[in-house]
Structures are given as structure tokens and as C-alpha cells.
Amino acid sequence: MRTTRTALAFLAALLFSVALPAQAPEATASWKVTANAVSDNEYELLFTASIVDGWHIYTTAHQFNPTEVVFDSPAGYEPQGSLEQVTEPVMFEGQEVFFGSAQFRWRVLLTQPEATVKGEITWSGCNDQFCAAPESKEFSVTLESPADAAASEGHSTEISDPEAGTGGGKGLWGLILEAILWGFAMLLTPCVFPMVPMTISFFMKQSETPAQGRLKAFIYGLFIVLLYTLPICAIIGITLLVGGNSVTADIFNWLATHWLPNLLFFIIFMVFAASFFGAFEIELPSSLTNKSDAKSGGKGLGGIFFMALTLVLVSFSCTGPIVGTVLIKSTQGEFWTPMVTMLAFSVAFALPFTVLAMFPSLLKKIKGKSGGWLNSVKVVLGFIEVALGFKFLSVADQTYHWGLLDREVYLAIWIVVFSLMGFYLLGKLRFRNDDPLEKISVTRLALAIATFSFVVYMVPGMWGAPLKALSGYLPPMETQDFVVWNQAGGQTGAMTAAPSGAAAASDYSSRYDLKLPMGFSGYFTLEEGIKAAKEQGKPIFVDITGHGCVNCREMEQRVWTDPKVQEILKDEYVIVALYTDDKSKLREEDWVTTENGKVLKELGRANSYLVRNRFGVNAQPNYIILSPEGEQLTAPRGYNLSVDGFVGFLEGGLEKFRGQLQGN
């Protein structure tokens, strides 16, 4: 226990010692309001914003997230004119914005000797990746007759949120807490959870004593933390020295979607599964182990490092967007914040695996005659490895359009694998290292019942059942051959024609073998979508998505299947899907040239460049609503499984669109 407490204390000390210098304001801007007398009964209110580094806010004339001031019911004063900009905005990505600081003014006329002006400032802060939720702050300023000498000196009030760059303590803890929660949440993602059985199996035979097991488990966790944190620190350092935005999310997109790493991960999972079934024992080459041992001064550290490295590489399919966000922040002048974020994230991410690595050493205390039971655990984990390993092959299959793992093929594999696992639990199958099983325990029976129940749950999916609980693991519904899509966009049993009122076919759909989810019809370039929107007089719903995006599949199966959502999307919008990870090679006429003269010849890279530069987002899913002229009507909406919230988002876009029509 002393070793465990020492390890945890070390990790905690490491986290908080580095976290202290971080900067983490709670809001994207803090505000100061002052009032100065300009005549006998007229005052000028000045609203001064201090904007967080790397963020910007918009002008008073911006269409979907302007900076605004709304007064409470005036009593003793009357606002004159409207909110004016004192600071000159700058052009950024084709829009006028404010960086660093901005000042606005609004004149008010006193109708009584004294009045308290109350109201609310609203704004939206954005960075190069995404826009924060709309923010607001209340203010209150007391104005007196100029006869009072104090009045001529002006009054001021500061809104009670942290000044930009001061790094208030509450904001710091909020940043650390958010990173920790993300780290724990990653354990449940499809590309991380399969590493749990690998960890348990690997550490079952690693330690001769419990103390040694705890030490190696701690080293395992430390390796995970270092493998996440040190490369980020190096990248930030290089970025600081070299300058510019040379560091992008391309490497993470490559790890998550390219055929080579995904095929490699698939093979690794199959090899581990074969080992769990008893085909062979996985051992590192003695030369590699000896070299690691010589440098580390401890036995087996090479194997532990290999396990940690495998976990970090495999997990990039799900942790990549989080790491990418950190990198983007690092290119915006925030030096400490990315390192603290990644350290907090990696410590939380590593902690469950560290505990699991300690668990096998504790199992040895009660092993006794339980050797057969421990081998059964490994075999069951082997079945799970086979099933989950196909996720990586599926990602490559989707992004490269190989057509190997359609949804029904993927489901057939899972049904067979888990059926065999159920028979194994009942003692109907035996593997090389299994002991004879004369009778089964209640625990095995319960697991067999759960396994066969899961199989029964999956079977209707062969004929188009949505299987929402598995939406993040399965290939998209549009890859299934026998599904019916009804007129509302929902499935009823075998594929039919597109919904009524569907738009004309997209050239990109046939050219690059692209389909929209849930049987909807639409387009795959903004140019096609804008043309159709003008012809139909509808706003545009932009779906920024990816073939390998787990959260995108969850949104489609859990939110897009709602009848209200289907009705609005089908009847009120022109849908444009931008796949940012598609590996299709573009025809020459579709190539995209960046502002630096680089020619993008791959569909996914072209779309990724487009959404980063036009919409300021760098993750999937993101949803954006545009007017038929291509003007953004709302702030982007990301991954959120609230159906009501998504309906509100769609209806809010329609309201903005209709307001524009009435204004014209």
C-alpha cells in the first residue's frame, strides 16, 4: 500500500506543480463599463472588452453572433442612437473581428437627477477551431446630475469575470477538471476500451511479488503520461521557436483514418486475441528487452513501455480530436495551458489502466486453484478483442471505400463471435490451456445469459434495426444492403427510393461514391448546396463529418432518427455533408489550392481545409446553418445528444433565415 500511495502522491504532485502557471479565464472576454458626462444631462457609456489570447469577438453588425448591449426597462434615462464601435475591427477569414481588446459606446440622456442604468452585454467568442457558446454579462452604472462634482469624473463598474490573461483560480480548476473528465471519458470509447483486456492479460504474468506488480503498474501509468505529455511539450517548444501555424491536426487525422495505422491496429488486436486463445505467448525480442533493461536498470521495462506505446497509438483514433484542440491552442500564444491540459488529461486517462495493471498482481493472492478460471478470463477477453478489433478495419474500409465491411457483414461477424463466446462460457468449447469443465458456476451462467441476450439484440440489425446502443461501433446505416427508408427519412426494412422532395443528385455522390446518412438526399460540396438552396429557397444544413467519426454515427442514430429532426431536415433544409477524412483522389478540376499555393488532391484534406478556414472548426461532428447565399446564420453546434437541443438549433436557423427574407 505504501508503494501505491507514493505513486499516487507523485502523480498528484506532478500535476499540480506544472498546473500552477496556467492561464484559464472563465470567459472569452471580460468587460469594464464606464460612464462620462458629455453635456449637462447626457452621458457616454463605454464598454471595454479584454479578449482572451487566441480568441476574437465580432462586430455589432455581425449576422449570427454580434456584440450587443440590451438595456433593462429604462427609468430616469433614455438611450440615444445605438451601440457604436470605437475600436476599428480587423479582417480575419473574410469577417471583421476584434482581437485583444475592443471598445464600444452608447450615449444615454438623463431625464431625472439620478438614474441607474442596467442591462446586459452579449457576445460570442471564437478561435481558429470553434466558437464558444453565446456569453452574456449584466452591468449596472449609477448616473448623477453633472452638478455633483463626482459625476464629471465619471463612474465605472467592472463585470465580475476574470480579466483576460490573469488566470483566476476558479478558471484554472475548471480547466483541470474538464481535462480530467475527458481523460476518464476516453476509457469508454470504442478505440480505447479494447485495450483493457490487453492490459489485464499482459500484467497477469509480469510480477513475482505484489510490491513489484504495483511498482510496474505505476511505471506503466507514468509511461502513458509521458508519451502524451512530452511530445506535446516538444511540439509547443518547436512552434514557439519556429513560429507560425505550422503545427496542424493532419498527423492526428492520419493516425485516425489512414489505412496503414488502422490495419496495423487491427492486426495487433488479432494477434493479441490469438495469444489469449492459447496459440502462443507474446514476448518482446530479447535484444530489445535487454537494451531497454540496460538503460532503465529494471527487468521487463521494455515490455511495459511497449504496452504503454501501443495504448497511446491505438487511442489516437478517439483522443486525437482532444489532442488536436490542445495543439491548436498552442499555436495561438498560450504556452502553459496546452501542457497543463495534456498533463491533466493524460494522468486521468492513465489512472484506470494503472489500477487495472495493479489488479492482476492482487489476483495472484487468491489464485490457488483458480488457474483455469484465470485462463477463462483471458479467452473471454480474446473474443472481445476479435470483435472490437474489426472497428479499425471498418474505419479504413469506410474512408477508402473498399466495400469489405458493410453493416450487415460487420454485424454477422459480431453475432458469430459473441455466439461462440456464449458457448465457451457454457463449456461447449475448449481451448489449449483450458482445464476440463465438469460444471459451470452461477457467474458463468449469468455471463452466458448476458452474452446470448446481446446476440439476440444484434440479430434484428441484420434487417435494418438501428441498434442505437452500438451506433458508435457499427458502420453507418447507408452501407447496409437491405434497409427501407420511408418518406420521413426513417428506416422500415429494405432500401427504397430517396425521400420525396429530394434534391437532384449530387455530382460528387456518383463521382466519389458518397452517401448521406439515414437515407437523406443532399450534396457534398458547398457550391452544389448553395446552387440547390437558391433554386429551392431553403437554408443550408452543413454536416461536417467523417467516415471514422464515432460521435458522428452516434448523432445520426440517436438524434437524426427522431421524427421531428427528420421532418425538419427533409422539408426545410438543403443538406450538405463534408467528409473530412475521405481518402478519395480528386479529379483535377476538383483540386483545391491553399493560400500558400499548396494543391490539395484528396477529398478529405480539401474539406478539412475548407471547414477550418471558412467555419473555424477542426473536429467532427459539427453542424452549421447557412443562408442560400452561403452566409452563416448560426454558431456551429457540435456533438450533443440532446434531441430537443438539436431541434432548437434547426428551428433557430430557420427563424434567422425567415427573418432575413422579411428584412428583404
Side-chain angles (χ1 to χ4, degrees):
M1 291 298 294
R2 181 177 298 176
T3 304
T4 304
R5 288 195 295 268
T6 302
L8 294 176
F10 176 80
L11 287 176
L14 183 63
L15 171 62
F16 292 116
S17 63
V18 178
L20 288 177
Q23 300 177 1
E26 291 180 310
T28 60
S30 58
W31 291 84
K32 182 176 181 180
V33 183
T34 60
N36 297 313
V38 295
S39 65
D40 289 344
N41 60 348
E42 191 173 16
Y43 284 81
E44 182 179 72
L45 299 180
L46 292 177
F47 304 87
T48 305
S50 296
I51 306 167
V52 175
D53 290 342
W55 292 77
H56 57 266
I57 65 175
Y58 292 94
T59 64
T60 59
H62 199 269
Q63 283 191 318
F64 63 91
N65 51 4
T67 300
E68 297 178 321
V69 172
V70 178
F71 293 105
D72 291 350
S73 300
Y77 71 95
E78 294 178 356
Q80 304 294 302
S82 60
L83 186 65
E84 301 176 356
Q85 297 170 174
V86 178
T87 305
E88 284 292 326
V90 298
M91 292 300 297
F92 177 71
E93 296 182 349
Q95 302 185 66
E96 292 186 333
V97 302
F98 298 102
F99 286 97
S101 64
Q103 192 172 70
F104 307 83
R105 66 187 174 198
W106 198 327
R107 292 196 176 189
V108 297
L109 184 67
L110 274 181
T111 58
Q112 295 180 3
E114 181 177 325
T116 299
V117 179
K118 295 182 179 181
E120 185 178 62
I121 308 169
T122 60
W123 76 100
S124 289
C126 299
N127 61 18
D128 286 344
Q129 185 195 12
F130 61 91
C131 292
E135 301 169 80
S136 63
K137 288 294 179 182
E138 296 181 350
F139 68 90
S140 177
V141 180
T142 299
L143 306 180
E144 301 176 6
S145 168
D148 190 329
S152 62
E153 297 174 4
H155 301 272
S156 69
T157 179
E158 290 194 36
I159 312 301
S160 58
D161 59 272
E163 289 290 337
T166 59
K170 185 177 179 182
L172 167 63
W173 288 108
L175 175 69
I176 294 174
L177 178 61
E178 182 180 357
I180 289 173
L181 291 176
W182 272 115
F184 285 135
M186 288 298 103
L187 179 66
L188 303 178
T189 58
C191 45
V192 177
F193 186 75
M195 288 301 297
V196 171
M198 286 191 187
T199 299
I200 294 175
S201 175
F202 183 82
F203 281 91
M204 275 183 175
K205 55 181 183 295
Q206 280 294 306
S207 307
E208 298 176 357
T209 65
Q212 187 183 72
R214 289 192 291 269
L215 176 61
K216 289 187 175 181
F218 165 70
I219 294 173
Y220 176 56
L222 183 61
F223 278 149
I224 296 172
V225 173
L226 294 178
L227 285 168
Y228 267 108
T229 307
L230 291 183
I232 295 297
C233 295
I235 290 172
I236 293 173
I238 293 172
T239 304
L240 184 66
L241 293 175
V242 176
N245 293 331
S246 57
V247 179
T248 69
D250 284 349
I251 187 173
F252 305 110
N253 180 275
W254 184 86
L255 278 171
T257 62
H258 195 273
W259 70 267
L260 182 59
N262 276 284
L263 187 59
L264 178 62
F265 297 153
F266 170 73
I267 293 173
I268 288 174
F269 274 56
M270 296 304 108
V271 170
F272 268 91
S275 175
F276 293 166
F277 293 147
F280 49 82
E281 291 292 330
I282 296 178
E283 295 181 358
L284 286 177
S286 58
S287 58
L288 178 60
T289 305
N290 292 336
K291 288 180 181 179
S292 300
D293 291 345
K295 294 180 180 179
S296 62
K299 183 179 179 181
L301 293 183
I304 296 173
F305 177 80
F306 172 78
M307 277 299 298
L309 180 62
T310 301
L311 170 62
V312 171
L313 290 176
V314 169
S315 68
F316 259 121
S317 293
C318 291
T319 61
I322 305 299
V323 178
T325 300
V326 172
L327 285 179
I328 289 171
K329 293 185 70 174
S330 73
T331 64
Q332 297 173 340
E334 300 185 35
F335 182 78
W336 285 107
T337 299
M339 290 186 282
V340 175
T341 303
M342 188 49 58
L343 180 61
F345 170 82
S346 60
V347 168
F349 180 76
L351 187 59
F353 287 96
T354 304
V355 173
L356 289 170
M358 293 178 181
F359 182 66
S361 65
L362 299 177
L363 279 180
K364 290 184 178 181
K365 293 182 179 180
I366 58 172
K367 185 172 181 180
K369 298 181 180 180
S370 61
W373 171 71
L374 289 176
N375 187 72
S376 296
V377 171
K378 289 180 61 177
V379 171
V380 169
L381 295 177
F383 282 114
I384 296 175
E385 289 296 302
V386 171
L388 296 180
F390 275 91
K391 173 61 181 174
F392 298 103
L393 186 58
S394 175
V395 169
D397 180 62
Q398 292 297 313
T399 55
Y400 287 90
H401 304 279
W402 292 340
L404 300 176
L405 283 178
D406 288 348
R407 191 172 184 268
E408 66 271 18
V409 175
Y410 192 99
L411 274 172
I413 294 172
W414 272 41
I415 290 171
V416 171
V417 168
F418 284 101
S419 295
L420 291 174
M421 177 175 151
F423 286 122
Y424 174 80
L425 289 168
L426 292 176
K428 303 302 181 181
L429 292 176
R430 282 182 56 191
F431 287 87
R432 176 180 175 183
N433 298 323
D434 283 326
D435 294 333
L437 186 64
E438 298 179 358
K439 57 183 179 180
I440 65 171
S441 65
V442 174
T443 300
R444 291 183 73 121
L445 177 61
L447 290 174
I449 292 173
T451 301
F452 282 117
S453 297
F454 181 54
V455 170
V456 172
Y457 170 77
M458 288 190 290
V459 169
M462 295 290 292
W463 290 271
L467 305 182
K468 293 183 180 181
L470 299 176
S471 56
Y473 291 85
L474 300 178
M477 184 72 74
E478 57 268 22
T479 65
Q480 187 143 347
D481 292 332
F482 29 96
V483 177
V484 173
W485 298 98
N486 61 29
Q487 296 300 311
Q491 70 238 39
T492 61
M495 188 69 74
T496 63
S500 64
S506 164
D507 290 339
Y508 263 53
S509 176
S510 56
R511 194 178 302 174
Y512 302 113
D513 190 24
L514 297 172
K515 297 178 181 178
L516 281 171
M518 314 310 297
F520 287 108
S521 285
Y523 302 90
F524 301 94
T525 68
L526 283 180
E527 290 76 12
E528 287 182 326
I530 289 173
K531 180 181 178 181
K534 289 179 179 179
E535 293 174 353
Q536 300 178 38
K538 295 180 179 180
I540 304 168
F541 174 81
V542 181
D543 174 22
I544 299 172
T545 185
H547 297 295
C549 172
V550 172
N551 291 340
C552 301
R553 303 293 85 76
E554 279 201 288
M555 285 293 297
E556 292 158 9
Q557 290 295 323
R558 295 175 180 266
V559 178
W560 289 36
T561 53
D562 180 81
K564 182 64 173 177
V565 172
Q566 293 175 357
E567 180 183 356
I568 297 176
L569 285 177
K570 171 184 169 293
D571 296 336
E572 305 292 345
Y573 282 98
V574 169
I575 303 175
V576 174
L578 300 177
Y579 284 91
T580 60
D581 61 0
D582 195 287
K583 305 303 180 182
S584 298
K585 300 299 181 183
L586 292 171
R587 296 182 182 179
E588 186 172 353
E589 62 267 26
D590 297 328
W591 289 354
V592 174
T593 303
T594 70
E595 68 274 9
N596 298 325
K598 185 176 181 180
V599 179
L600 305 178
K601 302 179 182 181
E602 193 176 88
L603 177 60
R605 296 189 67 187
N607 282 337
S608 181
Y609 170 78
L610 169 66
V611 300
R612 284 201 308 268
N613 285 271
R614 179 157 183 166
F615 304 125
V617 299
N618 193 39
Q620 310 90 44
N622 261 292
Y623 307 106
I624 297 170
I625 296 175
L626 306 178
S627 71
E629 289 72 33
E631 298 176 354
Q632 194 167 335
L633 299 178
T634 65
R637 181 178 178 86
Y639 173 74
N640 189 319
L641 295 177
S642 169
V643 174
D644 291 339
F646 198 79
V647 170
F649 169 71
L650 296 176
E651 290 179 340
L654 288 174
E655 184 178 347
K656 288 276 190 179
F657 169 66
R658 290 163 182 163
Q660 278 191 349
L661 293 180
Q662 293 176 357
N664 294 333

PDB file of all heavy atoms in Angstrom, residues 11 19 34 88 148 151 223 231 260 292 323 346 363 410 421 456 478 606 637:
ATOM      1  N   LEU A  11       2.124  11.385  -8.749  1.00  0.00           N
ATOM      2  CA  LEU A  11       1.336  11.849  -9.888  1.00  0.00           C
ATOM      3  C   LEU A  11       0.590  13.129  -9.557  1.00  0.00           C
ATOM      4  O   LEU A  11       0.513  14.053 -10.372  1.00  0.00           O
ATOM      5  CB  LEU A  11       0.359  10.763 -10.328  1.00  0.00           C
ATOM      6  CG  LEU A  11       0.956   9.559 -11.055  1.00  0.00           C
ATOM      7  CD1 LEU A  11      -0.127   8.533 -11.326  1.00  0.00           C
ATOM      8  CD2 LEU A  11       1.641   9.967 -12.335  1.00  0.00           C
ATOM      9  N   ALA A  19       0.672  22.717 -13.070  1.00  0.00           N
ATOM     10  CA  ALA A  19      -0.580  23.433 -13.323  1.00  0.00           C
ATOM     11  C   ALA A  19      -0.552  24.856 -12.816  1.00  0.00           C
ATOM     12  O   ALA A  19      -1.263  25.713 -13.314  1.00  0.00           O
ATOM     13  CB  ALA A  19      -1.747  22.694 -12.671  1.00  0.00           C
ATOM     14  N   THR A  34     -17.724  52.077 -18.142  1.00  0.00           N
ATOM     15  CA  THR A  34     -17.523  53.396 -17.540  1.00  0.00           C
ATOM     16  C   THR A  34     -18.537  54.380 -18.113  1.00  0.00           C
ATOM     17  O   THR A  34     -19.062  54.179 -19.214  1.00  0.00           O
ATOM     18  CB  THR A  34     -16.102  53.919 -17.810  1.00  0.00           C
ATOM     19  OG1 THR A  34     -15.898  54.022 -19.222  1.00  0.00           O
ATOM     20  CG2 THR A  34     -15.061  52.971 -17.220  1.00  0.00           C
ATOM     21  N   GLU A  88     -11.409  50.057 -34.182  1.00  0.00           N
ATOM     22  CA  GLU A  88     -11.530  49.603 -35.567  1.00  0.00           C
ATOM     23  C   GLU A  88     -11.328  48.088 -35.632  1.00  0.00           C
ATOM     24  O   GLU A  88     -10.323  47.565 -35.141  1.00  0.00           O
ATOM     25  CB  GLU A  88     -10.499  50.293 -36.451  1.00  0.00           C
ATOM     26  CG  GLU A  88     -10.838  51.733 -36.787  1.00  0.00           C
ATOM     27  CD  GLU A  88     -12.062  51.845 -37.689  1.00  0.00           C
ATOM     28  OE1 GLU A  88     -12.258  50.953 -38.541  1.00  0.00           O
ATOM     29  OE2 GLU A  88     -12.824  52.802 -37.516  1.00  0.00           O
ATOM     30  N   ASP A 148     -23.201  67.475  -9.454  1.00  0.00           N
ATOM     31  CA  ASP A 148     -22.378  66.743  -8.499  1.00  0.00           C
ATOM     32  C   ASP A 148     -20.986  66.596  -9.095  1.00  0.00           C
ATOM     33  O   ASP A 148     -20.823  66.092 -10.191  1.00  0.00           O
ATOM     34  CB  ASP A 148     -22.984  65.365  -8.239  1.00  0.00           C
ATOM     35  CG  ASP A 148     -22.319  64.648  -7.082  1.00  0.00           C
ATOM     36  OD1 ASP A 148     -21.115  64.875  -6.874  1.00  0.00           O
ATOM     37  OD2 ASP A 148     -23.013  63.861  -6.415  1.00  0.00           O
ATOM     38  N   ALA A 151     -19.849  63.368 -10.607  1.00  0.00           N
ATOM     39  CA  ALA A 151     -20.395  62.913 -11.881  1.00  0.00           C
ATOM     40  C   ALA A 151     -19.461  63.228 -13.029  1.00  0.00           C
ATOM     41  O   ALA A 151     -19.289  62.439 -13.947  1.00  0.00           O
ATOM     42  CB  ALA A 151     -21.760  63.548 -12.120  1.00  0.00           C
ATOM     43  N   PHE A 223       4.587   5.937 -17.966  1.00  0.00           N
ATOM     44  CA  PHE A 223       4.922   5.911 -19.390  1.00  0.00           C
ATOM     45  C   PHE A 223       3.792   6.503 -20.228  1.00  0.00           C
ATOM     46  O   PHE A 223       4.025   7.244 -21.183  1.00  0.00           O
ATOM     47  CB  PHE A 223       5.204   4.479 -19.848  1.00  0.00           C
ATOM     48  CG  PHE A 223       6.601   3.997 -19.555  1.00  0.00           C
ATOM     49  CD1 PHE A 223       6.850   2.660 -19.306  1.00  0.00           C
ATOM     50  CD2 PHE A 223       7.670   4.883 -19.533  1.00  0.00           C
ATOM     51  CE1 PHE A 223       8.134   2.205 -19.045  1.00  0.00           C
ATOM     52  CE2 PHE A 223       8.962   4.451 -19.266  1.00  0.00           C
ATOM     53  CZ  PHE A 223       9.195   3.105 -19.018  1.00  0.00           C
ATOM     54  N   PRO A 231       5.645  14.699 -26.004  1.00  0.00           N
ATOM     55  CA  PRO A 231       5.569  15.158 -27.402  1.00  0.00           C
ATOM     56  C   PRO A 231       4.848  16.490 -27.554  1.00  0.00           C
ATOM     57  O   PRO A 231       5.240  17.319 -28.380  1.00  0.00           O
ATOM     58  CB  PRO A 231       4.799  14.025 -28.101  1.00  0.00           C
ATOM     59  CG  PRO A 231       5.055  12.819 -27.264  1.00  0.00           C
ATOM     60  CD  PRO A 231       5.105  13.335 -25.859  1.00  0.00           C
ATOM     61  N   LEU A 260      -2.956   2.461 -43.168  1.00  0.00           N
ATOM     62  CA  LEU A 260      -1.797   1.792 -42.579  1.00  0.00           C
ATOM     63  C   LEU A 260      -1.899   1.650 -41.063  1.00  0.00           C
ATOM     64  O   LEU A 260      -1.808   0.527 -40.542  1.00  0.00           O
ATOM     65  CB  LEU A 260      -0.516   2.524 -42.984  1.00  0.00           C
ATOM     66  CG  LEU A 260       0.792   1.911 -42.470  1.00  0.00           C
ATOM     67  CD1 LEU A 260       0.942   0.482 -42.978  1.00  0.00           C
ATOM     68  CD2 LEU A 260       1.983   2.753 -42.913  1.00  0.00           C
ATOM     69  N   SER A 292      16.446  -2.212 -23.422  1.00  0.00           N
ATOM     70  CA  SER A 292      15.602  -1.404 -22.540  1.00  0.00           C
ATOM     71  C   SER A 292      16.007  -1.602 -21.091  1.00  0.00           C
ATOM     72  O   SER A 292      16.063  -0.655 -20.306  1.00  0.00           O
ATOM     73  CB  SER A 292      14.129  -1.777 -22.730  1.00  0.00           C
ATOM     74  OG  SER A 292      13.734  -1.541 -24.054  1.00  0.00           O
ATOM     75  N   VAL A 323      -6.399  15.985 -28.448  1.00  0.00           N
ATOM     76  CA  VAL A 323      -5.009  16.399 -28.602  1.00  0.00           C
ATOM     77  C   VAL A 323      -4.898  17.486 -29.670  1.00  0.00           C
ATOM     78  O   VAL A 323      -4.135  18.440 -29.523  1.00  0.00           O
ATOM     79  CB  VAL A 323      -4.135  15.185 -28.966  1.00  0.00           C
ATOM     80  CG1 VAL A 323      -2.689  15.605 -29.185  1.00  0.00           C
ATOM     81  CG2 VAL A 323      -4.202  14.142 -27.861  1.00  0.00           C
ATOM     82  N   SER A 346      -3.824  13.268 -19.506  1.00  0.00           N
ATOM     83  CA  SER A 346      -3.095  12.002 -19.564  1.00  0.00           C
ATOM     84  C   SER A 346      -3.048  11.309 -18.214  1.00  0.00           C
ATOM     85  O   SER A 346      -3.079  10.078 -18.150  1.00  0.00           O
ATOM     86  CB  SER A 346      -1.679  12.239 -20.091  1.00  0.00           C
ATOM     87  OG  SER A 346      -0.959  13.123 -19.255  1.00  0.00           O
ATOM     88  N   LEU A 363      -4.741 -10.446  -7.894  1.00  0.00           N
ATOM     89  CA  LEU A 363      -5.418 -11.713  -8.160  1.00  0.00           C
ATOM     90  C   LEU A 363      -4.557 -12.915  -7.770  1.00  0.00           C
ATOM     91  O   LEU A 363      -5.073 -13.951  -7.367  1.00  0.00           O
ATOM     92  CB  LEU A 363      -5.772 -11.815  -9.647  1.00  0.00           C
ATOM     93  CG  LEU A 363      -7.031 -11.086 -10.115  1.00  0.00           C
ATOM     94  CD1 LEU A 363      -7.197 -11.308 -11.607  1.00  0.00           C
ATOM     95  CD2 LEU A 363      -8.252 -11.551  -9.365  1.00  0.00           C
ATOM     96  N   TYR A 410     -20.389  -6.720 -40.960  1.00  0.00           N
ATOM     97  CA  TYR A 410     -19.819  -6.413 -39.644  1.00  0.00           C
ATOM     98  C   TYR A 410     -20.665  -7.046 -38.533  1.00  0.00           C
ATOM     99  O   TYR A 410     -20.144  -7.677 -37.604  1.00  0.00           O
ATOM    100  CB  TYR A 410     -19.766  -4.897 -39.482  1.00  0.00           C
ATOM    101  CG  TYR A 410     -18.947  -4.395 -38.322  1.00  0.00           C
ATOM    102  CD1 TYR A 410     -17.642  -3.938 -38.510  1.00  0.00           C
ATOM    103  CD2 TYR A 410     -19.479  -4.328 -37.035  1.00  0.00           C
ATOM    104  CE1 TYR A 410     -16.896  -3.444 -37.449  1.00  0.00           C
ATOM    105  CE2 TYR A 410     -18.741  -3.841 -35.976  1.00  0.00           C
ATOM    106  CZ  TYR A 410     -17.452  -3.395 -36.186  1.00  0.00           C
ATOM    107  OH  TYR A 410     -16.717  -2.907 -35.131  1.00  0.00           O
ATOM    108  N   MET A 421     -18.570 -17.062 -27.997  1.00  0.00           N
ATOM    109  CA  MET A 421     -18.212 -16.713 -26.624  1.00  0.00           C
ATOM    110  C   MET A 421     -19.246 -17.252 -25.635  1.00  0.00           C
ATOM    111  O   MET A 421     -18.898 -17.756 -24.552  1.00  0.00           O
ATOM    112  CB  MET A 421     -18.099 -15.186 -26.498  1.00  0.00           C
ATOM    113  CG  MET A 421     -17.808 -14.682 -25.101  1.00  0.00           C
ATOM    114  SD  MET A 421     -17.547 -12.890 -25.121  1.00  0.00           S
ATOM    115  CE  MET A 421     -18.120 -12.467 -23.465  1.00  0.00           C
ATOM    116  N   VAL A 456     -29.008 -11.765 -29.370  1.00  0.00           N
ATOM    117  CA  VAL A 456     -30.406 -11.606 -29.785  1.00  0.00           C
ATOM    118  C   VAL A 456     -30.696 -10.144 -30.119  1.00  0.00           C
ATOM    119  O   VAL A 456     -31.416  -9.832 -31.076  1.00  0.00           O
ATOM    120  CB  VAL A 456     -31.354 -12.125 -28.689  1.00  0.00           C
ATOM    121  CG1 VAL A 456     -32.800 -11.782 -29.023  1.00  0.00           C
ATOM    122  CG2 VAL A 456     -31.189 -13.627 -28.512  1.00  0.00           C
ATOM    123  N   GLU A 478     -26.183   3.525 -44.066  1.00  0.00           N
ATOM    124  CA  GLU A 478     -26.303   3.579 -45.523  1.00  0.00           C
ATOM    125  C   GLU A 478     -25.444   2.530 -46.220  1.00  0.00           C
ATOM    126  O   GLU A 478     -25.563   2.343 -47.436  1.00  0.00           O
ATOM    127  CB  GLU A 478     -25.942   4.977 -46.040  1.00  0.00           C
ATOM    128  CG  GLU A 478     -24.568   5.471 -45.667  1.00  0.00           C
ATOM    129  CD  GLU A 478     -24.569   6.277 -44.384  1.00  0.00           C
ATOM    130  OE1 GLU A 478     -25.516   6.124 -43.577  1.00  0.00           O
ATOM    131  OE2 GLU A 478     -23.630   7.049 -44.181  1.00  0.00           O
ATOM    132  N   ALA A 606      -9.125  18.387 -48.667  1.00  0.00           N
ATOM    133  CA  ALA A 606      -9.736  19.607 -49.207  1.00  0.00           C
ATOM    134  C   ALA A 606     -10.880  20.081 -48.311  1.00  0.00           C
ATOM    135  O   ALA A 606     -11.003  21.279 -48.011  1.00  0.00           O
ATOM    136  CB  ALA A 606     -10.233  19.356 -50.625  1.00  0.00           C
ATOM    137  N   ARG A 637     -22.788  23.998 -34.062  1.00  0.00           N
ATOM    138  CA  ARG A 637     -23.216  23.100 -32.992  1.00  0.00           C
ATOM    139  C   ARG A 637     -22.433  21.802 -33.127  1.00  0.00           C
ATOM    140  O   ARG A 637     -22.364  21.227 -34.213  1.00  0.00           O
ATOM    141  CB  ARG A 637     -24.710  22.804 -33.063  1.00  0.00           C
ATOM    142  CG  ARG A 637     -25.212  21.883 -31.929  1.00  0.00           C
ATOM    143  CD  ARG A 637     -26.711  21.659 -32.014  1.00  0.00           C
ATOM    144  NE  ARG A 637     -27.183  20.751 -30.976  1.00  0.00           N
ATOM    145  CZ  ARG A 637     -27.530  21.105 -29.744  1.00  0.00           C
ATOM    146  NH1 ARG A 637     -27.439  22.380 -29.397  1.00  0.00           N
ATOM    147  NH2 ARG A 637     -27.947  20.220 -28.859  1.00  0.00           N
TER     148      ARG A 637
END
